[in-house]
Amino acid sequence: MATRAKALRLAAVLITCVLTASCGVFGGSSDGGTADVERNILRIGVLPVVDVAPLRIALTDKLFEKAGLQVNLVTQPNEAEAIKQLDTTLDITWATHVSLFRAVAEGTELQLQGEAYQAGPNSMALVTAATSSYDDPGKNAAPRIAVNSETDIGALTTRAVLDTAAVEKQRIKFTSMPFADMENALTSGTVDAAFMIEPFITKAQRKIGAKILTDTARGPTLDFPMSGYASSKKFAEQNPKTLKVFRDVLREAQQRAQANKLGVQDSLTSYADVDQPTAALVSVGTFPLSLNPIRLQRVADMMDTEDVLSGRLDVQQLLPPGTTS
């Protein structure tokens, strides 16, 4: 009898252990166990810009890992290519809101998963060469401006800002090129100014003595929503729990970045090809903590006004179900 009782007690202990382990495996846990999600690996497209610093911070602080997700950041050549890679090599991508909204207008079905970045002082600007006499936005009636794309945020905000300086929009001559090529274009005189974002602005200032002609986050573009994250609508419909976890972690990472701008600058040295002295001078904007349809509609409406879109885009329709203003 004693032997039988001992065996029963041992069996009870084993059953308890199995049930406890099962709870950790299938129900998730508060201490970083496997999350209750459709999939636990996410491939996210990024570019080497300040906007994505919170994702780097989240990886360093193991925020995704604690939430049960394995996140792989995949550097992309440009935003247009990244958007094309959704549902093939990428699950989510970073891009400017302008690029995302243009893609939607052209027929790509997307769902926004988070706001990445909002412009602050000199976080995006028109810059000139050190020896340039172009020192006032209204001084050149037909400026040659380098932009990363004639249909992206650079051209959009440049038109808006130069319009306030009485420069006729149709007289602006845009030349598309990668941000990395703009320094040479400025020093060679190929362009009169270049639209840059950080850390490219600070790199150009330190390397070629570039000067800021005008902040392009002013007047009609003050505090302009610059970029965000999106997945395909198909992926979103198939993986709502996974993306909810992503948005929760992103919010925490954005909070950490917003509270520690020095940490953001330090993180740039790990992925943006800048040294510590340069990183310490980079202007840092705002990292929004939520998807705000009113804020984002401002971008879509400006795109409509500037004829970047053929009609008004309702941003609310791009947000995850249940997201409201």
Side-chain angles (χ1 to χ4, degrees):
M1 294 292 292
T3 301
R4 183 184 178 190
K6 184 177 181 180
L8 289 172
R9 286 197 298 272
L10 178 59
V13 171
L14 291 173
I15 291 171
T16 300
C17 290
V18 171
L19 289 175
T20 301
S22 296
C23 290
V25 171
F26 299 112
S29 66
S30 59
D31 60 355
T34 303
D36 179 20
V37 294
E38 299 84 3
R39 55 185 294 162
N40 57 15
I41 297 177
L42 285 176
R43 303 161 300 173
I44 304 176
V46 294
L47 269 70
V49 292
V50 177
D51 312 33
V52 302
L55 287 187
R56 303 286 179 172
I57 292 171
L59 288 178
T60 300
D61 294 350
K62 300 186 183 302
L63 300 185
F64 287 113
E65 182 179 326
K66 292 174 183 176
L69 291 181
Q70 177 185 325
V71 166
N72 300 321
L73 302 185
V74 186
T75 301
Q76 299 296 302
N78 55 64
E79 301 152 57
E81 183 61 29
I83 294 171
K84 291 178 183 177
Q85 295 305 313
L86 289 174
D87 288 341
T88 54
T89 62
L90 298 176
D91 305 310
I92 300 172
T93 191
W94 170 90
T96 65
H97 298 305
V98 174
S99 291
L100 293 172
F101 295 166
R102 278 189 61 249
V104 170
E106 292 169 357
T108 304
E109 294 190 325
L110 300 176
Q111 185 181 99
L112 303 181
Q113 300 302 330
E115 291 188 52
Y117 201 50
Q118 188 173 336
N122 294 328
S123 57
M124 59 178 185
L126 289 178
V127 303
T128 61
T131 58
S132 174
S133 61
Y134 187 17
D135 54 9
D136 182 273
K139 190 172 184 179
N140 191 332
R144 299 168 299 164
I145 309 291
V147 291
N148 62 312
S149 168
E150 291 186 43
T151 54
D152 203 353
I153 188 172
L156 181 71
T157 57
T158 294
R159 287 192 192 96
V161 169
L162 292 185
D163 182 54
T164 64
V167 176
E168 296 179 17
K169 300 175 185 178
Q170 62 270 25
R171 298 193 66 187
I172 302 172
K173 302 173 184 177
F174 289 113
T175 300
S176 298
M177 65 183 69
F179 288 120
D181 295 345
M182 293 181 182
E183 290 179 6
N184 288 336
L186 288 172
T187 55
S188 67
T190 304
V191 297
D192 301 309
F195 169 86
M196 292 185 180
I197 58 177
E198 290 285 32
F200 298 99
I201 297 170
T202 300
K203 288 173 68 175
Q205 288 175 315
R206 287 177 57 80
K207 186 175 179 180
I208 66 170
K211 301 178 294 185
I212 291 181
L213 171 65
T214 181
D215 187 341
T216 54
R218 56 182 291 189
T221 55
L222 183 67
D223 300 326
F224 199 71
M226 292 179 65
S227 62
Y229 300 96
S231 68
S232 72
K233 185 177 180 181
K234 176 184 175 182
F235 185 85
E237 290 174 344
Q238 294 176 344
N239 301 277
K241 294 179 181 179
T242 302
L243 291 175
K244 173 63 165 59
V245 173
F246 168 77
R247 292 193 297 271
D248 289 344
V249 175
L250 177 63
R251 177 183 174 85
E252 182 177 352
Q254 297 276 103
Q255 286 178 319
R256 293 190 182 199
Q258 188 61 31
N260 184 11
K261 297 296 180 69
L262 291 178
V264 171
Q265 293 170 323
D266 288 342
S267 74
L268 293 174
T269 60
S270 68
Y271 71 90
D273 190 28
V274 295
D275 56 25
Q276 190 62 48
T278 301
L281 296 173
V282 167
S283 298
V284 180
T286 300
F287 300 97
L289 304 183
S290 64
L291 279 164
N292 186 311
I294 295 176
R295 182 164 55 224
L296 296 178
Q297 191 63 52
R298 177 185 173 197
V299 180
D301 289 348
M302 180 177 285
M303 292 174 70
D304 182 21
T305 301
E306 296 292 339
D307 295 324
V308 177
L309 297 178
S310 58
R312 188 176 188 273
L313 176 70
D314 183 2
V315 174
Q316 181 70 54
Q317 302 304 311
L318 305 180
L319 274 56
T323 306
T324 63
S325 58

